[in-house]
Amino acid sequence: MFKRLGLSKLAYWPVVLAVAGVLACGGGEEESEDAAQNQRGGRPGMGAMARTGASIPVEVKTVGRGNIAATLLTYTSLEAERHVDVVSRTQGLVKSILVEEGDRVTEGQPLAQLDTDALELTLREREVNMNSLESNYKRSQELVEQELLSSQEFEQTKFQYEAAATQYESAKLQLEYATIRSPFSGIITERLVEVGNLVNANDVVFRTADLDPLLARIHVPEKDIGQVRPGQSVRINVEGSEQTHTGRVSLISPIVDPESGTVKVTVEIRDRMVTLRPGMFTTVNLVIAIQENVLQVEKKALVAEAEGSYAFLFQDGTAEKRLLEIGIAEGDYVEVLSGLSDGDSIITVGQEGLRNGAPVRIAGQIPPAAEGMGGGPAGMGGGPGAMGGRGGSGGEDGGRQAVQEGTGGSGRPGMAGAGGAGGAREGAGGQPGGMGGGRMMNMDLAQMKKRMFQNPDIKAAYDKQVEEDPSFAEDEERQRTFLIQQMRQMRAQRGGGRPQ
């Protein structure tokens, strides 16, 4: 046809470009914007998505009601009710040790045995002496009755016998002291001697403690002591454990410390499972009152600002910012006095950095706009008629077809074979090589990262996001969305697809 009109092949390019310009100018504003986006390597309809912004994946929970306890919060360390140093009551060499640290013992149970050879000899010696003086004492009684012995001599014999009997009992007691026994039922917390050590009287050889109950001594401000009474319930939490233990107020000091302005309150904890130990640092929540059936939300859903605490409601795909009036807090929940209603859906994860009215979606659910991006005849990554579709078959006919259909991706019209190959290979949403949203969302995350991290700017932006938000590294959906957004921004900055 061009030959008949007298046009050479060299004149082909200006004609094609002129036709393309006429076609591009023939649509409305939205079509022009989409055409410009397509020329940059994008897909029809991306202009509208850029105006609205990509939806942010979030997690949502429904507001409910429950009971929340009003508490006085303080901190202290646990103590044993009884903690005693076990001492040796006699001198001797340690012959054997019968218990070890951590052993539970009963009252009077032997803990260690001292050498008794010398003590046994002393006992027998004093026993013989006592028996001898006892015989003299009995004969003196008979002589006194017969008036053959004066009362003074009789009293002297009696005193000697009683003194010998006392010495015998003393030696017997020393022999008993050679066996060191537990003063009460409890647990051995420390052993301070070894076999062969020489211990003297009053040397500490063991330490024992009674761990049931344990005590927590807290100091309550003077203004709050009126709300504390004996038997009141107390919740105990130990650092490093999620288990909550229950105690009760056992003693309240009758005086106020003039230096601190506080009153000492002793809390008793019964630990049947033996999971608590003296010295553990604990958080003590003294329950003052229990608010029943109140509106409550998780603390992690709140966003603190200068004006107060906010929460974001999930409203038909958008985030609505609400100012809340907060009441008492307990554990992971806080009471909401105003700002929310029963059944409201609030965002609990992903609300940091959100703006009022921002587009959001529930994590794991594909938004309706993205469902048409995966392929199909009319989709944004499909075959003929889609973005980056057939692109023509090549040559002059391929160039004309590419111009007429508005396809061809990054391929240039009129180059032999380039229109069709470029459309299929380099098109923004073509089936063979396109990087459409549907394909990227379905691509393995590791493959996506390997491909995208070839660009150092995208890798740096990803690392920065992980550093600012550690939860981002655990959310694959957010990572995919982030990488696709970075890809689109990169293409927009370059002003098109791959460099020609």
Side-chain angles (χ1 to χ4, degrees):
M1 179 182 69
F2 290 100
K3 290 182 179 180
R4 289 197 301 270
L5 294 176
L7 297 175
S8 66
K9 291 185 178 180
L10 295 177
Y12 169 71
W13 280 104
V15 174
V16 172
L17 293 177
V19 173
V22 172
L23 292 175
C25 296
E29 295 182 0
E30 183 173 351
E31 293 177 352
S32 299
E33 182 178 350
D34 289 342
Q37 180 70 21
N38 190 34
Q39 183 180 357
R40 292 194 299 266
R43 296 179 294 232
M46 290 297 292
M49 291 185 65
R51 290 192 298 272
T52 59
S55 59
I56 302 172
V58 296
E59 291 184 9
V60 175
K61 183 169 288 188
T62 304
V63 177
R65 291 184 175 271
N67 299 339
I68 291 185
T71 61
L72 288 175
L73 179 65
T74 185
Y75 305 92
T76 189
S77 296
L78 296 179
E79 304 175 13
E81 185 179 34
R82 289 188 290 178
H83 194 282
V84 175
D85 292 341
V86 180
V87 300
S88 174
R89 303 177 69 177
T90 188
Q91 184 180 18
L93 290 172
V94 178
K95 186 176 182 180
S96 62
I97 295 175
L98 307 177
V99 295
E100 288 294 341
E101 295 178 359
D103 289 348
R104 183 172 294 276
V105 295
T106 59
E107 182 177 354
Q109 179 178 335
L111 307 180
Q113 180 64 54
L114 304 182
D115 181 61
T116 61
D117 292 344
L119 295 174
E120 290 175 352
L121 289 174
T122 301
L123 179 63
R124 286 199 295 269
E125 178 183 354
R126 292 183 178 180
E127 183 180 10
V128 171
N129 185 41
M130 182 190 66
N131 292 336
S132 175
L133 292 174
E134 184 181 11
S135 298
N136 291 338
Y137 171 66
K138 291 180 179 180
R139 285 196 299 269
S140 298
Q141 281 183 321
E142 295 176 357
L143 293 175
V144 167
E145 293 174 357
Q146 298 175 5
E147 296 182 357
L148 297 177
L149 185 67
S150 66
S151 59
Q152 183 178 359
E153 291 177 337
F154 173 73
E155 293 295 334
Q156 184 72 23
T157 303
K158 178 182 178 182
F159 291 152
Q160 290 176 351
Y161 165 67
E162 291 178 349
T166 302
Q167 291 177 354
Y168 170 77
E169 294 296 332
S170 177
K172 185 178 179 181
L173 190 60
Q174 292 297 315
L175 183 60
E176 292 180 359
Y177 286 164
T179 302
I180 301 174
R181 301 178 182 275
S182 174
F184 55 81
S185 297
I187 293 178
I188 302 298
T189 60
E190 191 172 3
R191 174 171 66 86
L192 303 174
V193 293
E194 300 287 347
V195 174
N197 288 159
L198 175 64
V199 297
N200 298 311
N202 298 323
D203 283 352
V204 179
V205 290
F206 291 95
R207 289 192 173 96
T208 60
D210 183 5
L211 305 185
D212 188 21
L214 290 174
L215 302 180
R217 305 186 192 276
I218 61 176
H219 294 82
V220 178
E222 179 183 357
K223 62 182 180 62
D224 297 322
I225 196 62
Q227 299 174 308
V228 183
R229 61 187 182 277
Q232 201 164 357
S233 178
V234 178
R235 297 175 182 175
I236 309 292
N237 293 97
V238 180
E239 187 174 1
S241 174
E242 297 182 356
Q243 183 178 2
T244 299
H245 303 267
T246 303
R248 65 176 186 86
V249 176
S250 60
L251 298 173
I252 301 176
S253 176
I255 63 174
V256 177
D257 184 351
E259 295 184 0
S260 63
T262 59
V263 178
K264 183 174 73 172
V265 176
T266 302
V267 177
E268 183 180 280
I269 306 107
R270 295 284 181 178
D271 182 23
R272 302 301 183 188
M273 303 301 294
V274 195
T275 56
L276 301 178
R277 301 174 184 271
M280 280 185 169
F281 186 75
T282 61
T283 302
V284 181
N285 290 276
L286 185 59
V287 180
I288 299 175
I290 297 180
Q291 305 291 340
E292 297 183 352
N293 196 32
V294 297
L295 205 64
Q296 59 183 13
V297 297
E298 292 186 72
K299 290 180 180 178
K300 66 179 183 179
L302 301 180
V303 178
E305 296 185 3
E307 298 82 1
S309 296
Y310 288 85
F312 283 91
L313 272 68
F314 184 83
Q315 297 279 27
D316 297 329
T318 60
E320 180 182 336
K321 190 175 182 181
R322 288 277 186 90
L323 178 63
L324 307 182
E325 183 180 356
I326 301 302
I328 61 177
E330 180 191 11
D332 296 331
Y333 288 88
V334 62
E335 179 186 10
V336 179
L337 300 178
S338 64
L340 294 176
S341 303
D342 287 315
D344 284 345
S345 297
I346 61 170
I347 299 174
T348 58
V349 176
Q351 75 275 21
E352 295 295 337
L354 278 182
R355 301 187 308 273
N356 188 31
V360 292
R361 62 183 174 85
I362 298 177
Q365 296 183 4
I366 300 177
E371 292 179 356
M373 296 172 62
M380 297 180 65
M387 293 181 57
R390 292 197 305 269
S393 57
E396 295 181 0
D397 294 337
R400 288 194 299 274
Q401 185 178 1
V403 172
Q404 293 168 0
E405 295 183 0
T407 59
S410 300
R412 292 191 293 270
M415 295 183 65
R425 184 177 62 256
E426 298 183 2
Q431 289 176 339
M435 293 181 65
R439 177 175 177 180
M440 291 293 286
M441 290 299 288
N442 294 328
M443 183 183 293
D444 180 73
L445 182 60
Q447 296 178 356
M448 182 186 293
K449 289 182 180 178
K450 182 178 180 181
R451 184 170 184 176
M452 299 293 290
F453 287 171
Q454 294 178 2
N455 187 311
D457 294 336
I458 294 180
K459 180 65 167 65
Y462 178 88
D463 294 340
K464 181 179 179 182
Q465 183 70 13
V466 172
E467 181 179 356
E468 294 177 351
D469 184 6
S471 64
F472 173 77
E474 301 176 359
D475 193 332
E476 291 191 6
E477 191 72 20
R478 291 176 60 191
Q479 295 181 54
R480 291 178 187 274
T481 303
F482 178 83
L483 292 175
I484 292 176
Q485 290 175 346
Q486 292 296 318
M487 176 192 68
R488 293 170 180 166
Q489 293 175 7
M490 178 185 67
R491 288 182 171 177
Q493 293 173 358
R494 292 192 313 187
R498 298 182 182 178
Q500 301 300 319

